[in-house]
Amino acid sequence: MSETWLFHSGTIFDGHNVLAAGSALAVRNGRVLAVGPEAQVRRALPAPKNEVSLAGRALTPGFTDAHVHALMGGVESLACDLTGADGPDETLAAIASFAATHPGGWLTGGGWTMSDFPGGTPTAELLDPLTGATPTYLINRDHHGAWVNSAALERAGITAETADPADGRIERDPQGIPTGTLHEGAMDLVNALIPAPEAATLRAGLLAGQRYLHSFGITGWQEAILGNYAGYGDASGIYRELQDQGLLTGQAAGALWVPRETTLASVPSLVKDFLARRKENAAAGFRTTTAKIMVDGVAENRTAAMLDPYLRSCDCAPGSPGDTGLRYLSAEVLTAVAVALDAAGFDLHLHVIGDGAARMGLDALEAARAANGTTGGRHHFAHLQVIHPDDVPRFGSLGLSINAQALWACNDEQMVELTNPILGEVRTGWQYPFRSLIDAGAHLVMGSDWPVSTPDPFAAIHVAVNRTDPDHPEVAPLVEDQAITVLEAMRGYTAGSAWVNRDHAGGNLRPGARADLVLLDADPFSIPSRDLHRVGVELTLASGHAVFTRATAGV
């Protein structure tokens, strides 16, 4: 028998606006049955199985995370999980504890924080006493670098004579000897040797990731990389399997990964492959209409693509002329890929961190528009850390969406210690310009990039509205005039992200919409903005069925 629900006597946000006081909402057969004045809704559903008085709380559509790595995060949570470690001592203690109970094979996991270690580059010397002869590979929380021990370096044959790959860098001491941190493509020198996770591990990881996302009210998401990256292969088969078995309770979509080794000559075969995979996934009910392109790296390890060189953090003087980060595809190849995939009906999802990457991406999308006209592609740029002011208006004129990971837009420890010093004062002031981009006409969608950072929407919404670290409100805001409103952030995390995922039945609470609902423990529209990060989830419904319930929910 289908669950029926009636919610009343509190704030109801429908994905676009807060409804009038006295509104109620009814659910039947996994869909929103009625929304409106309570008396009218009660007539539509006179005897609900579950009746909830909101009593100062709020009801919202399920959140859609437009940039997440659900499978990767789930798998890593089942390995050596360092995401909860606070500081270097806790990190090392967690590694030692895991190593003591998991002897043999490879020791893998991740989630360590760069700012916990000098220069953001921990060493094999720290790992070796804890891990001994067990080769160890621990990816950092942003998944753009890995920490390895001496056994792993030896297994991979990485020495002072090993050249840096074109898309990465081996961290070295003054004598050129590898120290134990591998950036970007250099990670592949080691992860290529690690046995691929078994299907059962991937399946368990995705289910664990789904449960975790549901606990934060997330009922839909975009798996941001489906392809060979950081030791993982294409997870589409796992998604298809869980969808077929009825175990995929969230509305998942996926982004097919454009390999960094793509060339002009390989673009036609890339498009052919993507079309075949999109068709196969669609037949199984898994939507993969998006293509993911990583244009550059990240700022804190100097791999984000910048228009001008990074500063030397020691004295804020300009670095060498070539110190402008990495560009994983040439401008010529990026443009060819964008034009071809746009013509083939794919939505482009571009990772851009530096102002140089943003400009490359904008130029490529401009070329696609010139070649193909308006195709209806829901193209979006993720992260958007540093945008040159001259490029801000182009987002609106090209009809692009900004896929904001707003949690990073604050002066947290990593920003203050590692990033701002190498950007300098001017570029620090260009970071995460969400207000300017929205005002220029860009469409807002939101995501977390979990396991890079917490998937909690209200942690990100707090920063988007306040531009301060929730744990350190005393620290000055980061570019305070780029703050957005609670309403804008809530729209971005619900209707906005569902739209970019092409989830036409989600992201809103209109009659006929899929009943993906979240009961919050407070009303984010009425509490002080300094308390937004405290808002939690009491109940999550996916297609009208409870997929998460907090013990104190009282429903």
Side-chain angles (χ1 to χ4, degrees), residues 71 75 196-208 232-235 238 242:
L71 182 140
V75 169
E198 296 180 355
T201 300
L202 297 174
R203 187 175 182 274
L206 182 51
L207 290 173
Y232 291 86
D234 183 2
I238 304 297
L242 295 186

Side-chain angles (χ1 to χ4, degrees), residues 333-349:
V333 172
L334 177 61
T335 296
V337 168
V339 170
L341 289 175
D342 175 58
F346 284 93
D347 303 319
L348 302 182
H349 180 160

Side-chain angles (χ1 to χ4, degrees), residues 114 117-122 171 183 300 418:
M114 290 181 68
F117 302 94
T121 56
E171 196 68 30
H183 301 288
E300 55 268 22
L418 299 179

Side-chain angles (χ1 to χ4, degrees), residues 58 104 143 146-147 161 165 175 206 241 252 257 271 277 284 340 352 383 411 435 468 509 518 542:
H143 285 67
W147 180 15
E161 286 69 45
Q175 289 72 46
L206 182 51
E241 177 188 344
W257 170 248
V271 174
R277 290 161 66 189
V352 296
H383 313 322
N411 279 314
R435 173 80 277 144
T468 57
L509 299 184
V518 182

Side-chain angles (χ1 to χ4, degrees), residues 49 52 132 139 214 251 256 338 366 374 385 421 447 460 479 493 503:
K49 181 179 179 181
V52 181
I139 199 162
H214 284 337
Q251 296 296 315
L256 304 177
E366 198 168 75
T374 302
Q385 182 167 353
V479 201
Y493 241 126
D503 179 10

Side-chain angles (χ1 to χ4, degrees), residues 10-25 34-37 41 59 487 509-510 525:
T11 296
I12 298 178
F13 170 68
D14 69 359
H16 300 276
N17 296 292
V18 176
L19 302 184
S23 295
L25 180 143
V35 184
V41 173
L59 187 72
L487 182 61
L509 299 184
R510 294 169 178 164
F525 298 100

